[in-house]
Amino acid sequence: MARSSRKPSSGGRGSGDKTERGDKAERGRKPAAKGRKRRGILGTLVYYGFVLGVWVLMAVGGLVAYHASKLPPIDSLAVPKRPPNIAILAADGSLLANRGETGGRTVTLKELPPYLPNAFVAIEDHRFYHHWGIDPVGITRAVVRNVTRSGSSMQGGSTLTQQLAKNLFLTQERTASRKIQEAILALWLERNYSKDQILELYLNRVYFGSGAYGVEAASQKYFGKTARSVTLGEAAILAGLVQAPSRLAPNRNPEAAQARGAMVISAMAREGLVNDNMAKIALMNPGQPVKPGGAGSVNYAADYVMDVLDDYIGTIDKDIVVRTTIDPGMQNIAEKALVEELAQKGDKFGVSQGAFVALQPDGAVKALVGGRNYSDSQFNRASVAKRQPGSAFKPFVYLTAIEKGLTPSTVRDDSPVNIKGWQPENSTREYRGPVTLRQALALSINTVAVKLGVEVGPKAVVATAHRMGIQSKLEPNASIALGTSEVTALELVGAYAPFANGGIAVQPYVITQVRTSDGVTVYKRSGTGLGKVLEPQTVGMMNAMLRETLLTGTGRKADLPGWEAGGKTGTSQDHRDAWFVGYTGSLLAGVWMGNDDGSPTKKTSGSNLPVEVWSRFMKTALATTPPTPLPGGAYKQMWPMPADQQAPTPPGGVPMADSGNPADTLYGLVSPAPVAARGAPLTISPLAQGGPQPQPQPRRVVSDDGVLRPPGSVPNGGGGAPRQGYPPPERSLLDKLFGG
């Protein structure tokens, strides 16, 4: 047989073995390649994740470093001093008001009931004692809640320490930069202060709205008490308030404040800071804000204290306590008298504002009301506003004349006067002829006051007023006699003090002592006045005349039964300003009423509204005080006796041709002089002792229409209705021209 030459086919055994081995090798290599591929991806992810993390950390570190560089150096960082608080106390030691940027003094944790600081911890940062200034758990929880509760109020992750850092060092802006700086500063605080110190700082610096910084100020503001005595319900409202001071203020939104307070109490119970029984009682008795009483006039007094405080102690760098002369009872009486008079008659008389000042004869301010309502207007009309005093200035004219030799019985002619074309008139447009100075002042006769002012000289009148206590600039012209230069109510009342105290000039004062909160005395008042400015006989004669104003003159409505009192009404041009200043031997008070814009009132004069306010105040304020006679001794008796009594004739003396009182001759002050014919011309001439005397005539009183009438012709001493067409006694043509 022949040998075959055919080659093995591709499907032969040899070929198949190679293929099989190759397939097995290939199958063995594939899993290893996939593992290497998978390991390469994970490694890459880890690698790049690590690199990215490093870059993020570097970026964050750089960002933190950048914003940290904007802060003061950490090694020199210090907690800024809290602005000092000024606690203003009344004469009896009760708190009148807090002043300063904080509105309340600093308190320590030891002073406070434990549930008060615990309330803040429970609602603001329940992990306060477990974190180191920044709370990652709290931040995470806040983020989750903000994401999952869309539409509801957003929650923040700031700790109490972060909030304190913001209040101490940063602004209130909401930026990433501020949050980073806040975190840095929180860490610094935690490193340098204990938890209790941080909580104490927080309670004294956090803002509670309405200008109250710190828990003490807030407690006084909303509950009228110190933080040391707040209830659990009140503490809960205070703690809940810091979230939104404007929206949750208990005096403006009590329902929301109490609802937030209930949340605080529940949080305290949940954290075990109060037991269930305490929580239940607190929920049943939520805190109730105090309602401000009256018109808040005590704040005018507090503002005045702040105005003068710098004169006593200079720069204030720590909490201080200021003891004042203010009598809370008199302050309330004054406020009530003024506010009620304006409420009852303000619209009728076209009067919108008023001011009131009460002083002791030594100058101590007992009450000061600077306006109708402090919340509506903080402008202090008692100590700052300057207005024309009108005829309330006339006593200084008459005093100048008395010191130059005239007496209450000296006669001057009430007749037309012409001073370089200026022709002042009386309010009644009538002239009485010869009248005593006593009568002229009591009836507020303009012509006589002007003539006296010219006789003694306007400069002398100005000098007298300044010596008595007026501090404002006064123009030495003829119209000064009718009060055309502006003064404040406080200085005008103070200038009457020498009449009440026997001749000692005073500077009205309101501060008696200043001490630091730890008891160190910074200032204590000493001294009793500015010295003697009037002689006893001068005091007596002035009191004789000014008392007559209340007995028979324009101030009859101000007469105080059982008391010797003097005073003077005043009305300026077009009835723009109405005044009454009156006094007894133990208390002085002055009232101004008018409009802030100086617009005319509707016939308001010193003899109506101001007199009524003064009388209401004095009758209540002096109700429990034994009557004190006016100073002046025997000289004071130169006023006429009551109409139903006959004046005695001195031994060997000749009665003066007055209304029957021989006192001037009795004490040898003047000599009898010829009687001038009624209506005879009387020119302005140099002063003379005594001067012409009037004919004896029955004692008369002035009626509401300004007309002098015999006793008995005017009911109740002159309380009849005014005649149609007649203005009040204080009105004159001079008022129109010169504001007299």
Side-chain angles (χ1 to χ4, degrees):
M1 280 181 64
R3 177 180 290 181
S4 173
S5 59
R6 185 179 58 185
K7 293 182 179 180
S9 67
S10 62
R13 182 175 179 178
S15 174
D17 289 342
K18 291 180 180 179
T19 302
E20 183 177 353
R21 287 196 297 269
D23 290 343
K24 289 181 179 180
E26 186 67 24
R27 285 196 298 268
R29 285 195 296 269
K30 284 182 180 179
K34 290 180 180 178
R36 286 195 300 271
K37 185 176 182 180
R38 284 197 297 270
R39 284 195 298 271
I41 293 173
L42 290 175
T44 300
L45 290 175
V46 170
Y47 171 77
Y48 284 109
F50 175 77
V51 172
L52 179 62
V54 171
W55 279 106
V56 169
L57 287 175
M58 292 177 61
V60 171
L63 189 64
V64 170
Y66 170 77
H67 290 293
S69 68
K70 301 297 182 181
L71 295 171
I74 292 296
D75 56 355
S76 65
L77 200 63
V79 171
K81 286 186 176 182
R82 183 175 184 267
N85 178 68
I86 299 96
I88 301 174
L89 308 183
D92 62 3
S94 61
L95 180 67
L96 293 176
N98 281 297
R99 286 292 186 269
E101 293 183 27
T102 58
R105 73 177 186 86
T106 301
V107 293
T108 64
L109 286 183
K110 294 180 180 179
E111 296 179 75
L112 303 174
Y115 51 73
L116 179 54
N118 285 342
F120 288 84
V121 172
I123 194 66
E124 288 294 316
D125 186 5
H126 72 96
R127 286 175 43 81
F128 174 69
Y129 286 100
H130 304 288
H131 61 66
W132 31 272
I134 303 173
D135 185 10
V137 176
I139 295 174
T140 303
R141 183 176 59 251
V143 170
V144 171
R145 289 186 179 180
N146 291 338
V147 171
T148 59
R149 297 184 182 183
S150 59
S152 61
S153 59
M154 302 293 285
Q155 290 195 0
S158 293
T159 64
L160 282 179
T161 313
Q162 287 176 272
Q163 294 179 43
L164 176 61
K166 177 181 65 177
N167 290 332
L168 291 178
F169 304 106
L170 304 172
T171 65
Q172 298 300 313
E173 63 177 346
R174 295 174 178 242
T175 62
S177 174
R178 199 266 292 164
K179 293 296 291 185
I180 293 172
Q181 292 177 332
E182 179 185 289
I184 296 170
L185 293 169
L187 295 173
W188 178 86
L189 285 170
E190 290 277 349
R191 181 178 175 224
N192 289 275
Y193 294 90
S194 69
K195 287 289 186 178
D196 283 351
Q197 289 176 320
I198 291 172
L199 183 56
E200 188 174 291
L201 281 169
Y202 176 85
L203 292 175
N204 282 290
R205 301 298 182 94
V206 68
Y207 183 58
F208 289 87
S210 299
Y213 287 86
V215 70
E216 175 68 12
S219 181
Q220 294 284 358
K221 172 69 178 179
Y222 297 116
F223 301 115
K225 63 174 70 172
T226 175
R228 293 171 292 180
S229 60
V230 295
T231 66
L232 176 56
E234 292 165 345
I237 287 181
L238 291 175
L241 180 60
V242 297
Q243 182 191 59
S246 298
R247 180 171 57 85
L248 297 174
N251 58 351
R252 292 195 298 269
N253 194 351
E255 294 81 8
Q258 291 179 7
R260 176 69 174 171
M263 293 176 59
V264 174
I265 294 171
S266 298
M268 295 178 73
R270 185 172 59 250
E271 297 297 325
L273 299 175
V274 294
N275 58 45
D276 292 340
N277 187 49
M278 292 177 64
K280 182 178 179 181
I281 294 174
L283 289 172
M284 294 174 60
N285 298 278
Q288 299 292 337
V290 293
K291 296 180 180 179
S297 68
V298 71
N299 289 292
Y300 290 115
D303 286 351
Y304 175 60
V305 171
M306 294 300 296
D307 289 342
V308 301
L309 187 58
D310 284 349
D311 297 336
Y312 292 87
I313 63 173
T315 303
I316 302 170
D317 58 2
K318 60 177 61 176
D319 287 1
I320 60 173
V321 179
V322 182
R323 181 69 71 99
T324 73
T325 59
I326 298 295
D327 183 308
M330 289 190 185
Q331 183 72 28
N332 291 335
I333 295 169
E335 176 187 303
K336 183 177 180 181
L338 181 66
V339 172
E340 288 186 355
E341 188 77 8
L342 286 168
Q344 295 168 5
K345 300 181 179 180
D347 290 341
K348 176 182 177 182
F349 283 87
V351 176
S352 61
Q353 279 295 350
F356 188 100
V357 175
L359 307 177
Q360 285 183 340
D362 69 345
V365 179
K366 306 308 293 182
L368 188 147
V369 182
R372 187 171 189 167
N373 191 300
Y374 186 83
S375 62
D376 294 337
S377 171
Q378 290 78 54
F379 180 61
N380 200 329
R381 297 157 188 83
S383 62
V384 178
K386 291 190 175 184
R387 307 298 291 250
Q388 291 183 345
S391 294
F393 189 84
K394 286 178 181 177
F396 308 119
V397 179
Y398 283 77
L399 172 58
T400 307
I402 291 293
E403 291 184 323
K404 290 186 178 294
L406 276 64
T407 74
S409 294
T410 298
V411 173
R412 285 295 177 264
D413 196 41
D414 175 17
S415 60
V417 61
N418 189 322
I419 300 176
K420 296 182 179 180
W422 175 46
Q423 301 177 11
E425 292 183 338
N426 296 323
S427 60
T428 61
R429 312 299 195 271
E430 296 178 353
Y431 302 95
R432 298 173 176 84
V435 293
T436 63
L437 299 190
R438 171 189 57 77
Q439 292 172 319
L441 182 58
L443 301 178
S444 200
I445 298 175
N446 289 331
T447 59
V448 174
V450 172
K451 291 177 181 180
L452 283 179
V454 174
E455 285 191 65
V456 300
K459 290 184 178 180
V461 173
V462 169
T464 297
H466 283 156
R467 173 164 50 94
M468 292 289 284
I470 298 294
Q471 297 181 346
S472 296
K473 181 181 179 181
L474 304 174
E475 295 296 335
N477 51 37
S479 68
I480 189 67
L482 299 181
T484 54
S485 290
E486 296 177 337
V487 299
T488 68
L490 183 61
E491 64 181 323
L492 183 61
V493 176
Y496 275 64
F499 302 139
N501 66 27
I504 306 298
V506 304
Q507 173 66 48
Y509 69 95
V510 70
I511 297 175
T512 58
Q513 186 185 54
V514 180
R515 60 179 175 82
T516 61
S517 57
D518 53 3
V520 178
T521 299
V522 179
Y523 164 82
K524 188 173 183 179
R525 177 176 170 77
S526 60
T528 56
L530 301 178
K532 184 177 179 180
V533 294
L534 298 180
E535 296 297 328
Q537 64 267 30
T538 303
V539 174
M541 286 187 279
M542 288 303 301
N543 283 337
M545 292 192 292
L546 290 169
R547 175 153 171 71
E548 195 69 20
T549 301
L550 274 65
L551 295 175
T552 64
T554 57
R556 282 177 299 102
K557 292 181 180 179
D559 191 27
L560 297 176
W563 283 84
E564 288 185 356
K568 187 68 189 74
T569 57
T571 312
S572 70
Q573 177 185 6
D574 293 330
H575 298 271
R576 298 176 189 274
D577 305 284
W579 297 80
F580 182 75
V581 182
Y583 58 93
T584 66
S586 59
L587 190 64
L588 304 91
V591 184
W592 167 84
M593 301 184 81
N595 297 311
D596 285 339
D597 60 2
S599 59
T601 66
K602 300 175 183 177
K603 304 298 183 182
T604 305
S605 70
S607 60
N608 47 50
L609 270 60
V611 163
E612 293 170 5
V613 172
W614 184 91
S615 182
R616 291 176 62 177
F617 169 82
M618 294 293 278
K619 287 177 180 178
T620 305
L622 297 175
T624 59
T625 304
T628 304
L630 291 173
Y635 299 101
K636 186 177 56 180
Q637 301 305 319
M638 285 182 290
W639 59 46
M641 293 293 181
D644 58 351
Q645 298 181 23
Q646 184 177 358
T649 300
V654 179
M656 298 292 291
D658 192 354
S659 57
N661 190 347
D664 286 354
T665 301
L666 178 62
Y667 295 105
L669 297 177
V670 297
S671 301
V675 177
R678 182 171 178 80
L682 186 64
T683 58
I684 299 174
S685 60
L687 290 169
Q689 292 287 342
Q693 304 297 317
Q695 293 285 354
Q697 52 185 306
R699 177 180 174 85
R700 296 185 288 179
V701 297
V702 65
S703 63
D704 284 341
D705 59 11
V707 177
L708 207 63
R709 303 183 187 279
S713 63
V714 182
N716 301 319
R723 292 182 294 175
Q724 294 295 324
Y726 277 78
E730 293 295 320
R731 191 71 182 97
S732 70
L733 178 60
L734 183 58
D735 290 344
K736 295 181 178 180
L737 297 174
F738 293 90

